[in-house]
Every structure is written in C-alpha cells, then in structure tokens.
Amino acid sequence: MSTTVETVSAAARTAPAAVIVAIDGPSGTGKSSTSKAVATQLGLSYLDTGAQYRAITWWMLNNGIDVGDPAEIATAAAKPVIVSGTDPAAPTITVDGEDASGPIRTQEVTSKVSAVSAVPEVRTLITELQRSIAADAERGIVVEGRDIGTTVLPDADIKIFLTASPEARAARRSGEVKGSDLATTKEALIKRDAADSGRKTSPLAKAGDAVEVDTTDLTLQQVIECVVTLVGEKRAVK
C-alpha cells in the first residue's frame, strides 16, 4: 500500500466552498448514516475510515496472518492495496481489486479489527492513505472515524464528536443485525470502546476543538440537520 503523505491545507482544496469535516465517535452513535447524508446534501466526498481498518483486517484473516501477533501484523501491513470510493451515494472499498464491502462486515472481522488497528504500523499506513484521499477531494469531504479530528486531520475545518448512551447505541446496533441479543451487543460495544480508547497509538478521543453532539434522544434527521447547520456556519466564514 504505497501512498504519499500530504498535509491537508486550505491551499490544497480548490473549490470555493470546499470544506473538510471530521466526524468522530464510538460505534452506534450514527456516524456512518450521518456522514453519508451530510456529504450527499452538501455535495462533498465521503470516507469511512473504519471500513479501511476492517478491510486490512479481512485481508489478514484471509491470508493466514496471526492477528494476535502484533509483529506479524506489522510485517504484513503494507502488502494489501486498499482503494476507497468516495461517492456518498455508493461508497466502495476494494482490497487487491476485490470488492470487500460485504465481507468486511462479518462478525469475525468485527471481533478482530480493534487488535489489528491498534498496531502502529497499520495506523501509520492507513492514516497516510486517509490524508491522501482528503487532500485529493477538491469539493471537500466528510471523513468519519475515531481519530480523525485528533490525528488524521487535526486541521479539519470543522470537527464533530458524536456520542450516545450505551443503551441507545446497543439498540441501534441490534436493529442492524437481525437476531442479535441486546445485552450481548451492549457488552461488545463497551469492550470495543475500551480497546479503542485505551490503545497507545491514536486512541478514540474527542478533539479539544470538536463540537460534541449527543445523539441519544435525537432522530437521525435531527442529527443530520445539526451537522449540516454547523458546516454551513463554517462555510459562511471561510
């Protein structure tokens, strides 16, 4: 996976109303649905960074890499070629030319992605890829993840951190996965939070200048409207 590290700056974005939006937060807060809708409504590109970490995890599982061995993960990290499509209406992701959009959502990948994404060499490579994609988004881009505002794009025009109660997040996740158990889902989310927040390299964290939006009692449409308003305010003063 060879990419060129580029510092995303205002000069790199040629569209007059181009804006880089970083949306962070734990699973189940509505990041993906909100980010795609906001990007579509505002005519921006869209990037699901979590899908990239899922993609590299899926590749390692398929290629016999011991995902319990950080050294083995680090050695293999640069081998797969990950390409992300940034159309919010139909985002795509391929690994070595193969469509991975479905396979990366399996429970096996979900259970292993935190361990893989915690390896510094993996984060370095994926971060470079994410910065390159953002720099190439001439119309601007909405980038969602867990460390976008703090590590990947610390100079993003606007940073938003979505939160929600564990109960609300578990209910949303259970609704997405047919036949899933609410208590088990909640336990898995809390475990994932601890892993993502506790890792040494680029942990899940709210940037100091991020706007926090608690989605617990909000409908998806209300969250989308809130974010669109925040971006509109930022565009108006650019």
Side-chain angles (χ1 to χ4, degrees):
M1 186 195 309
S2 60
T3 58
T4 301
V5 180
E6 297 183 50
T7 301
V8 180
S9 64
R13 304 191 296 279
T14 59
V19 63
I20 288 183
V21 183
I23 299 184
D24 289 309
S27 299
T29 54
K31 289 196 311 293
S32 294
S33 298
T34 299
S35 298
K36 283 186 280 190
V38 168
T40 298
Q41 192 166 326
L42 299 178
L44 305 175
S45 296
Y46 160 75
L47 178 62
D48 175 2
T49 63
Q52 296 174 321
Y53 286 106
R54 284 176 171 273
I56 197 168
T57 301
W58 174 69
W59 180 89
M60 291 193 178
L61 290 169
N62 274 6
N63 285 272
I65 305 302
D66 180 0
V67 295
D69 183 346
E72 192 168 339
I73 292 172
T75 299
K79 293 181 180 179
V81 176
I82 298 172
V83 178
S84 296
T86 58
D87 179 355
T92 59
I93 186 159
T94 64
V95 181
D96 294 339
E98 181 179 354
D99 178 16
S101 56
I104 65 172
R105 302 297 173 182
T106 64
Q107 184 54 44
E108 183 183 21
V109 172
T110 298
S111 66
K112 304 297 184 184
V113 66
S114 285
V116 173
S117 62
V119 175
E121 288 81 359
V122 171
R123 298 207 75 83
T124 296
L125 285 163
I126 298 294
T127 295
E128 290 176 0
L129 176 60
Q130 292 162 359
R131 287 175 176 163
S132 177
I133 292 170
D136 288 340
E138 294 186 354
R139 297 171 300 162
I141 191 169
V142 178
V143 184
E144 59 142 311
R146 287 171 170 75
D147 65 341
I148 310 306
T150 54
T151 301
V152 180
L153 301 169
D155 296 324
D157 296 298
I158 185 163
K159 304 173 188 177
I160 295 164
F161 193 85
L162 299 185
T163 63
S165 70
E167 292 75 18
R169 294 165 53 209
R172 291 167 185 166
R173 274 287 182 261
S174 293
E176 294 170 359
V177 182
K178 192 174 182 180
S180 61
D181 176 72
L182 185 60
T184 302
T185 302
K186 179 181 174 180
E187 183 181 347
L189 285 174
I190 292 173
K191 185 178 179 180
R192 176 78 188 271
D193 289 350
D196 290 343
S197 301
R199 65 175 177 246
K200 293 182 179 180
T201 305
S202 302
L204 164 66
K206 175 188 171 185
D209 54 348
V211 178
E212 184 171 327
V213 178
D214 188 335
T215 69
T216 302
D217 298 317
L218 299 178
T219 64
L220 174 59
Q221 190 55 43
Q222 287 174 322
V223 178
I224 293 167
E225 290 173 0
C226 175
V227 175
V228 167
T229 298
L230 290 169
V231 175
E233 291 172 351
K234 185 66 181 182
R235 273 179 155 175
V237 298
K238 281 193 71 179

